[in-house]
Amino acid sequence: MIKKAIYPGTFDPITYGHIDVIKKALKIFDQLVVAISDGTNKNYLFDIEERIEIVKKALFVDAKLKKNKITVISFKTLTTSLCKNHKSNIILRGLRAVSDFEYEFQLAGMNYQLNPNIETIFLMTSEKNSFISSNFV
């Protein structure tokens, strides 16, 4: 059985912290779907097409990660619906600091209420990347 995780986010833009979490996830999961949110409730620095290209370049050109293990997509649905569409019961979330945990814990709880078959897995970014956020970039 293939272990597949969904890593949702805005990736506006992708950071070394995101890449660090992706590298760690590839040690655990056979497949990873990097799902870039295209919701309309946020003012993005880059549009969805630009973010997809930036993420692909960062992962496949700069970080030289294997394309056969990572799929980069955009989405506008609930993350739990995305999991169902991609036949995954795992949502991957990255944490930089303890301050991230409270929000992520609430989000995981909401996703659990929507679908109790979906588990949220938290991975910490390396300490050297813990202070970087997309907002700061």
mmCIF file of all heavy atoms in Angstrom, residues 48-65:
data_model
loop_
_atom_site.group_PDB
_atom_site.id
_atom_site.type_symbol
_atom_site.label_atom_id
_atom_site.label_comp_id
_atom_site.label_asym_id
_atom_site.label_seq_id
_atom_site.Cartn_x
_atom_site.Cartn_y
_atom_site.Cartn_z
ATOM 1 N N ILE A 48 -1.665 32.071 -8.697
ATOM 2 C CA ILE A 48 -1.561 30.619 -8.549
ATOM 3 C C ILE A 48 -0.589 30.004 -9.563
ATOM 4 O O ILE A 48 0.192 29.115 -9.217
ATOM 5 C CB ILE A 48 -2.942 29.928 -8.588
ATOM 6 C CG1 ILE A 48 -2.826 28.449 -8.191
ATOM 7 C CG2 ILE A 48 -3.602 30.086 -9.947
ATOM 8 C CD1 ILE A 48 -2.360 28.221 -6.773
ATOM 9 N N GLU A 49 -0.619 30.476 -10.797
ATOM 10 C CA GLU A 49 0.293 29.922 -11.808
ATOM 11 C C GLU A 49 1.751 30.205 -11.442
ATOM 12 O O GLU A 49 2.613 29.341 -11.591
ATOM 13 C CB GLU A 49 -0.024 30.483 -13.205
ATOM 14 C CG GLU A 49 -1.344 30.007 -13.792
ATOM 15 C CD GLU A 49 -2.543 30.817 -13.294
ATOM 16 O OE1 GLU A 49 -2.352 31.917 -12.716
ATOM 17 O OE2 GLU A 49 -3.673 30.325 -13.465
ATOM 18 N N GLU A 50 2.013 31.415 -10.949
ATOM 19 C CA GLU A 50 3.373 31.763 -10.534
ATOM 20 C C GLU A 50 3.818 30.909 -9.353
ATOM 21 O O GLU A 50 4.950 30.412 -9.321
ATOM 22 C CB GLU A 50 3.460 33.246 -10.150
ATOM 23 C CG GLU A 50 3.322 34.197 -11.320
ATOM 24 C CD GLU A 50 3.222 35.645 -10.869
ATOM 25 O OE1 GLU A 50 2.430 35.954 -9.962
ATOM 26 O OE2 GLU A 50 3.959 36.478 -11.442
ATOM 27 N N ARG A 51 2.922 30.714 -8.371
ATOM 28 C CA ARG A 51 3.279 29.909 -7.206
ATOM 29 C C ARG A 51 3.566 28.466 -7.588
ATOM 30 O O ARG A 51 4.501 27.854 -7.067
ATOM 31 C CB ARG A 51 2.187 29.993 -6.138
ATOM 32 C CG ARG A 51 2.217 31.339 -5.423
ATOM 33 C CD ARG A 51 1.235 31.431 -4.300
ATOM 34 N NE ARG A 51 -0.093 31.686 -4.861
ATOM 35 C CZ ARG A 51 -1.216 31.196 -4.401
ATOM 36 N NH1 ARG A 51 -1.222 30.398 -3.360
ATOM 37 N NH2 ARG A 51 -2.362 31.497 -4.975
ATOM 38 N N ILE A 52 2.786 27.918 -8.499
ATOM 39 C CA ILE A 52 3.041 26.541 -8.961
ATOM 40 C C ILE A 52 4.421 26.455 -9.595
ATOM 41 O O ILE A 52 5.202 25.547 -9.293
ATOM 42 C CB ILE A 52 1.937 26.076 -9.944
ATOM 43 C CG1 ILE A 52 0.626 25.857 -9.190
ATOM 44 C CG2 ILE A 52 2.368 24.818 -10.685
ATOM 45 C CD1 ILE A 52 -0.567 25.628 -10.083
ATOM 46 N N GLU A 53 4.747 27.394 -10.460
ATOM 47 C CA GLU A 53 6.057 27.375 -11.127
ATOM 48 C C GLU A 53 7.205 27.596 -10.144
ATOM 49 O O GLU A 53 8.250 26.950 -10.239
ATOM 50 C CB GLU A 53 6.101 28.411 -12.255
ATOM 51 C CG GLU A 53 5.268 28.022 -13.470
ATOM 52 C CD GLU A 53 5.562 26.614 -13.974
ATOM 53 O OE1 GLU A 53 6.751 26.296 -14.187
ATOM 54 O OE2 GLU A 53 4.609 25.827 -14.140
ATOM 55 N N ILE A 54 7.023 28.499 -9.188
ATOM 56 C CA ILE A 54 8.057 28.754 -8.175
ATOM 57 C C ILE A 54 8.290 27.497 -7.338
ATOM 58 O O ILE A 54 9.430 27.122 -7.061
ATOM 59 C CB ILE A 54 7.672 29.964 -7.297
ATOM 60 C CG1 ILE A 54 7.737 31.263 -8.115
ATOM 61 C CG2 ILE A 54 8.575 30.057 -6.071
ATOM 62 C CD1 ILE A 54 7.098 32.465 -7.424
ATOM 63 N N VAL A 55 7.201 26.840 -6.925
ATOM 64 C CA VAL A 55 7.327 25.616 -6.122
ATOM 65 C C VAL A 55 8.025 24.521 -6.924
ATOM 66 O O VAL A 55 8.941 23.862 -6.425
ATOM 67 C CB VAL A 55 5.949 25.146 -5.604
ATOM 68 C CG1 VAL A 55 6.023 23.733 -5.033
ATOM 69 C CG2 VAL A 55 5.417 26.122 -4.556
ATOM 70 N N LYS A 56 7.613 24.327 -8.169
ATOM 71 C CA LYS A 56 8.244 23.292 -9.001
ATOM 72 C C LYS A 56 9.732 23.569 -9.193
ATOM 73 O O LYS A 56 10.556 22.652 -9.103
ATOM 74 C CB LYS A 56 7.545 23.191 -10.356
ATOM 75 C CG LYS A 56 6.196 22.504 -10.280
ATOM 76 C CD LYS A 56 5.565 22.407 -11.655
ATOM 77 C CE LYS A 56 4.253 21.652 -11.616
ATOM 78 N NZ LYS A 56 3.633 21.554 -12.950
ATOM 79 N N LYS A 57 10.089 24.810 -9.440
ATOM 80 C CA LYS A 57 11.499 25.154 -9.615
ATOM 81 C C LYS A 57 12.274 24.922 -8.318
ATOM 82 O O LYS A 57 13.364 24.338 -8.324
ATOM 83 C CB LYS A 57 11.663 26.597 -10.071
ATOM 84 C CG LYS A 57 13.123 26.986 -10.318
ATOM 85 C CD LYS A 57 13.270 28.431 -10.755
ATOM 86 C CE LYS A 57 14.704 28.801 -11.034
ATOM 87 N NZ LYS A 57 15.614 28.650 -9.915
ATOM 88 N N ALA A 58 11.703 25.354 -7.207
ATOM 89 C CA ALA A 58 12.374 25.188 -5.913
ATOM 90 C C ALA A 58 12.591 23.713 -5.582
ATOM 91 O O ALA A 58 13.664 23.336 -5.100
ATOM 92 C CB ALA A 58 11.564 25.862 -4.809
ATOM 93 N N LEU A 59 11.598 22.882 -5.862
ATOM 94 C CA LEU A 59 11.693 21.463 -5.508
ATOM 95 C C LEU A 59 12.515 20.646 -6.491
ATOM 96 O O LEU A 59 13.363 19.848 -6.083
ATOM 97 C CB LEU A 59 10.295 20.850 -5.376
ATOM 98 C CG LEU A 59 9.390 21.433 -4.303
ATOM 99 C CD1 LEU A 59 8.048 20.729 -4.304
ATOM 100 C CD2 LEU A 59 10.048 21.343 -2.940
ATOM 101 N N PHE A 60 12.252 20.848 -7.779
ATOM 102 C CA PHE A 60 12.836 19.952 -8.773
ATOM 103 C C PHE A 60 14.141 20.455 -9.381
ATOM 104 O O PHE A 60 14.977 19.665 -9.794
ATOM 105 C CB PHE A 60 11.818 19.652 -9.870
ATOM 106 C CG PHE A 60 10.512 19.107 -9.348
ATOM 107 C CD1 PHE A 60 9.310 19.631 -9.747
ATOM 108 C CD2 PHE A 60 10.505 18.076 -8.416
ATOM 109 C CE1 PHE A 60 8.106 19.133 -9.255
ATOM 110 C CE2 PHE A 60 9.311 17.565 -7.916
ATOM 111 C CZ PHE A 60 8.107 18.100 -8.340
ATOM 112 N N VAL A 61 14.334 21.762 -9.447
ATOM 113 C CA VAL A 61 15.566 22.326 -10.015
ATOM 114 C C VAL A 61 16.552 22.650 -8.895
ATOM 115 O O VAL A 61 17.668 22.144 -8.873
ATOM 116 C CB VAL A 61 15.265 23.579 -10.878
ATOM 117 C CG1 VAL A 61 16.555 24.190 -11.403
ATOM 118 C CG2 VAL A 61 14.329 23.217 -12.030
ATOM 119 N N ASP A 62 16.128 23.478 -7.951
ATOM 120 C CA ASP A 62 17.036 23.919 -6.886
ATOM 121 C C ASP A 62 17.345 22.800 -5.885
ATOM 122 O O ASP A 62 18.500 22.521 -5.599
ATOM 123 C CB ASP A 62 16.459 25.137 -6.168
ATOM 124 C CG ASP A 62 16.276 26.326 -7.100
ATOM 125 O OD1 ASP A 62 16.931 26.377 -8.154
ATOM 126 O OD2 ASP A 62 15.449 27.209 -6.774
ATOM 127 N N ALA A 63 16.311 22.161 -5.332
ATOM 128 C CA ALA A 63 16.510 21.114 -4.319
ATOM 129 C C ALA A 63 16.771 19.737 -4.933
ATOM 130 O O ALA A 63 17.135 18.807 -4.230
ATOM 131 C CB ALA A 63 15.317 21.056 -3.377
ATOM 132 N N LYS A 64 16.526 19.620 -6.251
ATOM 133 C CA LYS A 64 16.764 18.377 -6.987
ATOM 134 C C LYS A 64 16.023 17.166 -6.393
ATOM 135 O O LYS A 64 16.560 16.067 -6.310
ATOM 136 C CB LYS A 64 18.259 18.090 -7.086
ATOM 137 C CG LYS A 64 19.017 19.148 -7.865
ATOM 138 C CD LYS A 64 20.489 18.835 -7.953
ATOM 139 C CE LYS A 64 21.325 19.827 -8.696
ATOM 140 N NZ LYS A 64 20.864 21.120 -9.004
ATOM 141 N N LEU A 65 14.777 17.385 -5.999
ATOM 142 C CA LEU A 65 13.958 16.300 -5.479
ATOM 143 C C LEU A 65 13.347 15.521 -6.635
ATOM 144 O O LEU A 65 13.214 16.040 -7.743
ATOM 145 C CB LEU A 65 12.873 16.852 -4.553
ATOM 146 C CG LEU A 65 13.391 17.593 -3.318
ATOM 147 C CD1 LEU A 65 12.229 18.139 -2.499
ATOM 148 C CD2 LEU A 65 14.275 16.700 -2.466
#
